[in-house]
Amino acid sequence: MVIYGIYIVSKSGGLIFNYDHTVPKIENEVTFQYPVNLKLTVENKRVVVSFGQRDGIVVGHVLTSINGTEVKNSQLDDGTEVLDFLSKPENFPVRLTFTRPKMTTNEKIFLASMFYPLFAIASQLSPEPKCSGIEVLECDTFKLHCYQTLTGVKFMIVGDTNQSGLDLILKKIYELYADYALKNPFYSLEMPIRCELFETHLQNLLQQHEKTGVTNV
Amino acid sequence: MARQGNRLDSKKVNSELFTLTYGALVSQLMKDYDNVEDVNKQLDRMGYNIGIRLIEDFLARTQSTRCQDFKETAEKIQLGFRIYLGISPNISNWSASGDEFSLIFETNPMLEFVELPDNCTNLKYCNVLTGVLRGACEMIQLDITSKFIQDQLKGDNVTELRVKFIKTIQDAIPAGED
């Protein structure tokens, strides 16, 4: 029973608010001997595990540090490429830390605006006239609920697959948005929501939901 | 309504504070602008800015669905007056084509302590309401206009707000709603 995050997309399709609720932090530090028995590749300036699983490290995890020093842009502090470093036997044994990749803000904005056409396409593909867009998107690891208001703002919540009552939370979030974002005279429409009150009330709502399992706010 | 409990119940706010605040706003505008017409225009504009935000609150509270005809819209507007001003104007004087109706106010808390001075007979004291209606309807893709055609401040028995449907704004309807 976990809620992973909340996203609000404006009428024109821009991400105006996002909030990560519980993101499980998975970090594995393992000491390796030469040669590294994982296949590593560089993708988007990140060193990613492309094949091989061991000690909790799975395909898709990202290398974050070597011997305790941080890896940035697939390079070490002194500018040597990580893959070059790991191909030299004299550098071993070596301690490598892998984590689940974290979405950057840019990626979130990108994905949120990606959902916008998907939603529109879904309503057009429908065999029946007057169909809504995507309301629930279910996968094996998460469930996404989307609620579009009559004015065109989309509220999205990503939660665990067995999480229930997500659609109710969305309506509550809409109320909070109407109260703490729109009634804030210094908030301009269609702009990113940076209202502290909104965020604190949202956190309270999610906490309460987690405690009781149902929303009775 | 939907919300209870830890929240301040919005209907329990004394209407006098609102009445006086609105009165202060209008009288300040009268000082700032020489022309009464400009004051009417400013009130309408302020109302519009209120309306485009207030509609979200209305929708979130009432969980309304999209209106399929103008009669439904009229009832929703009436409900809105009940929620936000605590009054229920009567809906009447439907035009034959069903695209125009009147809201008849017998009482209006906004007018409670007001007497219009002689020099501003053209002032539409409640003109903020026309803006609110226009802004709120525009956000749900309805283009309407409204104007006051009877005013208790000017000696009429009731205040009458005439609301006219112009069109639905088709290209602004969000996907999945059209």
Side-chain angles (χ1 to χ4, degrees), chain A residues 53-122:
Chain A
Q53 301 204 128
R54 54 167 290 193
D55 303 322
I57 302 166
V58 298
V59 172
H61 276 191
V62 171
L63 179 68
T64 51
S65 70
I66 295 181
N67 291 331
T69 48
E70 204 187 340
V71 174
K72 259 190 195 155
N73 296 335
S74 78
Q75 287 177 336
L76 284 172
D77 277 346
D78 56 3
T80 45
E81 289 292 326
V82 167
L83 293 186
D84 291 344
F85 180 86
L86 292 177
S87 64
K88 293 184 183 124
E90 66 267 25
N91 293 326
F92 282 78
V94 69
R95 257 182 320 122
L96 302 181
T97 313
F98 290 90
T99 63
R100 236 165 59 137
K102 246 179 86 185
M103 261 200 286
T104 63
T105 314
N106 268 338
E107 282 168 329
K108 282 177 190 158
I109 292 172
F110 176 74
L111 289 176
S113 45
M114 191 83 124
F115 185 77
Y116 184 81
L118 288 181
F119 185 92
I121 290 170

Side-chain angles (χ1 to χ4, degrees), chain A residues 11 119-120 123 130-133 148-153 174-175 177-179 181-184 187-189, chain B residues 2-4 6-7 52-57 59-61 63-66 139-141 172 174-178:
Chain A
K11 189 163 60 177
F119 185 92
S123 72
K130 297 261 171 209
C131 175
S132 75
Q148 177 168 260
T149 70
L150 294 186
T151 54
V153 183
Y174 185 28
E175 287 180 16
Y177 167 75
D179 277 350
L182 293 180
K183 287 180 193 166
N184 179 352
Y187 170 69
S188 41
L189 295 178
Chain B
R3 280 174 293 185
Q4 284 143 12
N6 56 3
R7 260 194 106 255
I52 58 176
R53 289 164 181 251
L54 200 61
I55 182 66
E56 305 275 9
D57 183 74
L59 294 175
R61 279 184 192 220
Q63 280 155 26
S64 289
T65 49
R66 184 169 296 280
M139 290 301 278
I140 48 171
Q141 299 89 37
E177 288 281 348
D178 40 2

Side-chain angles (χ1 to χ4, degrees), chain A residues 203-217:
Chain A
Q203 282 164 0
N204 289 344
L205 175 74
L206 296 180
Q207 263 165 22
Q208 202 157 354
H209 177 83
E210 263 169 10
K211 247 187 253 157
T212 57
V214 280
T215 342
N216 45 6
V217 197

Side-chain angles (χ1 to χ4, degrees), chain B residues 4-20:
Chain B
Q4 284 143 12
N6 56 3
R7 260 194 106 255
L8 185 81
D9 190 346
S10 52
K11 275 161 291 175
K12 290 200 180 123
V13 176
N14 191 339
S15 72
E16 282 187 19
L17 176 64
F18 167 69
T19 309
L20 296 174

